[in-house]
DNA sequence: CTAATAGTGTCTCTGAGACACTATCTA
DNA sequence: TAGATAGTGTCTCAGAGACACTATTAG
C-alpha cells in the first residue's frame, strides 16, 4: 500500500487589462504562514474534482466570472515551497475582461484586489516565481494565438486591440503595420458599427470571427 | 487538518532517434491493472523528492542515462485515469541519443523496449493521450529551439541533422535550403574533421556551439 | 482653422523556398 | 566512367517594418 505525504493544490494567475495596464488578482492571506501578505488565489484539490475544476471553482469564487479562458501552466514541486509541509501546486492562467470581474462576488473574505504587474507587493510562498512564469507564458501566447480576445470586450476598435499588445509587451509597435497585419490575418471582422472615442475620426468596431483558440502569428 | 486521497505520480516519455525513426521507450506492466500491456515508464513521487528528481530517477533506472534533457509537459488529472483510485500524474519528456541507452541497466525487470511512434502497441491508462501530447510538444520545440542536439551525437553531419527533422516531421524539406538555414543561424560550427558516409564526397562534421537550450527558429 | 486618431498606401530589405550547378568520393 | 551525396549559388515572391498621406471628428 502506497503512502504519500504530499498535498496537491492549484493556483490561479488571473490576468486582465485595466487602466492601461496588465493586472493580476491577488488575495490577502488571513492566516499564517505569510499572514497579511498578498498571494495568488488557490487552494486544495478535492478528491473528486480535476485540476481544471478546482481552478475553475477558485476563479469563480474570487471574481464571479465563470467563462474565463483557463490554461494549465506548470506544476511546481520544490520541497521547501510551503513551510507547513510538502505541497505540490499546479498553476493555471486565467484571462478575463475587467468589466466581467466582480470582486464582491467572492464568498471568501479574502480581500481580493487587482494589482498592475509592474507594481507588485511582496508575495507569499514561491508565488513571485509562479507569476513571472505566467507573465512569460502570456506574452508568448499572445504572439502566436488569438487569445487576446479573452482580454477584450465583445466588440472593440483596432486601436484597443493594439493597445493590449502595447501594454503587455511594454513597447510601441507601429500601429499602422499592426492594423494591416491583423486585418490580413482574417481573425476579426467589422461589426458594421462605428464609435467615436474622442475628438477625431470615428473608428470601426470589430469582433473576433472565432471564439476558439487558434494558432495565428500576430507578432 | 486537510485530508486528501490523491496519489501523485510522474511519467516519462523518453524519445530517441533509432533506425531512421522516432522511438519511444515503453515498459511492460507486470501487475494488474493492464497486466502485460505496454505503458510509459513512471512511478510514485517520493515524499522528499521533486517531480524532476522523480522522473530523473525513473529515466535513469530504465535507460542508464543520467544526462538526458528533461522537460515538464503537462499534469493529467482526469478522475478515472487509474482504476485503482485517484492518481494525478505529471508527464515529462526526455530526449537522449540511442547510443547512450542501455536497456539492461534497468534494475527493474520491466522488459523496457523502444517502439517507433508510428508502430505503437496499445497502451495502458491514458498513456496514448499523454504520448500524443508529447509528440506534439517535441515537434513544436524542434521548430524553434536547438533541442535537436540532445537527439544527436556530439559531432554529426548536416545531413544527419537534416534527417532528424525529416524523420520527426515525416516530410522532406529541401535539404539544400535546410543546410543553408542552419549555417546562417550560427548554432553549429565545423569540428574540422570530415567523414566518409558512403560512395560519395565526404561530409564535414559539425557540433553545436552551445549545449544550452536556446530559442532559435529552425523551421 | 487645429489637433488628434482612423485608415490606406508606398518603399525597401530580408528571408523562405524552388531549383541549378559543381565537388568528391567508390566501384 | 556512373552514381551518389556534399556544398554553394541564383531567382522569385511574400512579408516585416519604416514612413507618407488622406479622412473625419470636436472645438
Amino acid at each position: 500500500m502506497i503512502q504519500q505525504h504530499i498535498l496537491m493544490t492549484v493556483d490561479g494567475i488571473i490576468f486582465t487589462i485595466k487602466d492601461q495596464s496588465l493586472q493580476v488578482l491577488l488575495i490577502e492571506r488571513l492566516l499564517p504562514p505569510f499572514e497579511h501578505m498578498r498571494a495568488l488565489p488557490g487552494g486544495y484539490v478535492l478528491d473528486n474534482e480535476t485540476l481544471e475544476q478546482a481552478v475553475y471553482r477558485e476563479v469563480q469564487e474570487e471574481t464571479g466570472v465563470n467563462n474565463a479562458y483557463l490554461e494549465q501552466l506548470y506544476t511546481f514541486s520544490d520541497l521547501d515551497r510551503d513551510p507547513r509541509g510538502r505541497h505540490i501546486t499546479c498553476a493555471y492562467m486565467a484571462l478575463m475582461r475587467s468589466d466581467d470581474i466582480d470582486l464582491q462576488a467572492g464568498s471568501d473574505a479574502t480581500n481580493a484586489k487587482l494589482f498592475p504587474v509592474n507594481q507588485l507587493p511582496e508575495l507569499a510562498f514561491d508565488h513571485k516565481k509562479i507569476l513571472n512564469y505566467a507573465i512569460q507564458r502570456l506574452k508568448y501566447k499572445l504572439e502566436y494565438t488569438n487569445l487576446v480576445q479573452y482580454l477584450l470586450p465583445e466588440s472593440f476598435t483596432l486601436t484597443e486591440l493594439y493597445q493590449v499588445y502595447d501594454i503587455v509587451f511594454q513597447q510601441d509597435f507601429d500601429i499602422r503595420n499592426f492594423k494591416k497585419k491583423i486585418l490580413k490575418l482574417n481573425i476579426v471582422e467589422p461589426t458594421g458599427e462605428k464609435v467615436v472615442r474622442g475628438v477625431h475620426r470615428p473608428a470601426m468596431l470589430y469582433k473576433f470571427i472565432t471564439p476558439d483558440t487558434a494558432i495565428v502569428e500576430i507578432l
Side-chain angles (χ1 to χ4, degrees), chain A:
Chain A
M1 181 57 186
I2 311 298
Q3 263 294 350
Q4 267 181 343
H5 298 86
I6 300 176
L7 289 169
M8 188 79 206
T9 63
V10 289
D11 284 305
I13 299 91
I14 302 173
F15 287 122
T16 198
I17 302 285
K18 195 182 175 188
D19 303 335
Q20 302 289 323
S21 75
L22 175 64
Q23 310 216 359
V24 62
L25 186 140
L26 299 173
I27 58 137
E28 183 181 340
R29 287 191 56 79
L30 302 176
L31 301 169
F34 302 104
E35 196 177 356
H36 302 311
M37 205 177 281
R38 290 283 169 178
L40 296 169
Y44 291 102
V45 179
L46 303 180
D47 288 343
N48 60 347
E49 68 180 356
T50 64
L51 295 172
E52 284 76 13
Q53 288 164 349
V55 176
Y56 182 87
R57 182 171 50 76
E58 296 285 347
V59 167
Q60 214 276 338
E61 277 172 15
E62 299 295 345
T63 66
V65 177
N66 54 26
N67 61 349
Y69 170 80
L70 277 183
E71 172 175 329
Q72 188 186 110
L73 294 180
Y74 198 84
T75 301
F76 295 84
S77 67
D78 281 357
L79 297 180
D80 56 356
R81 52 178 305 283
D82 192 317
R84 292 167 296 183
R86 185 74 197 280
H87 286 69
I88 292 178
T89 197
C90 188
Y92 279 76
M93 160 171 95
L95 306 184
M96 54 180 70
R97 322 181 215 285
S98 58
D99 288 345
D100 291 346
I101 300 177
D102 175 11
L103 293 179
Q104 312 313 320
S107 47
D108 293 14
T110 50
N111 191 19
K113 242 182 80 179
L114 290 170
F115 291 78
V117 296
N118 37 29
Q119 293 170 47
L120 289 174
E122 205 184 339
L123 298 186
F125 307 107
D126 54 354
H127 287 188
K128 179 74 181 177
K129 176 178 165 186
I130 294 175
L131 180 52
N132 284 335
Y133 186 93
I135 293 170
Q136 280 309 114
R137 176 78 72 95
L138 174 64
K139 286 186 182 177
Y140 198 61
K141 281 273 182 150
L142 286 182
E143 282 189 28
Y144 73 97
T145 70
N146 58 358
L147 280 191
V148 65
Q149 68 186 295
Y150 297 101
L151 296 169
L152 285 168
E154 187 89 27
S155 62
F156 48 86
T157 66
L158 292 184
T159 296
E160 288 165 343
L161 176 57
Y162 166 77
Q163 284 171 338
V164 175
Y165 282 86
D166 233 37
I167 288 165
V168 174
F169 291 90
Q170 304 261 43
Q171 57 181 286
D172 44 34
F173 306 103
D174 185 299
I175 192 170
R176 298 162 294 185
N177 291 332
F178 181 85
K179 287 181 178 179
K180 264 185 305 177
K181 178 105 184 254
I182 293 293
L183 291 176
K184 194 159 197 182
L185 284 174
N186 258 345
I187 54 175
V188 296
E189 63 181 10
T191 64
E193 284 178 279
K194 292 195 176 202
V195 67
V196 178
R197 291 279 194 245
V199 189
H200 49 75
R201 181 173 172 176
M204 178 63 75
L205 283 174
Y206 287 83
K207 60 178 176 183
F208 272 89
I209 289 175
T210 161
D212 301 347
T213 307
I215 303 292
V216 193
E217 296 286 344
I218 291 184
L219 296 188

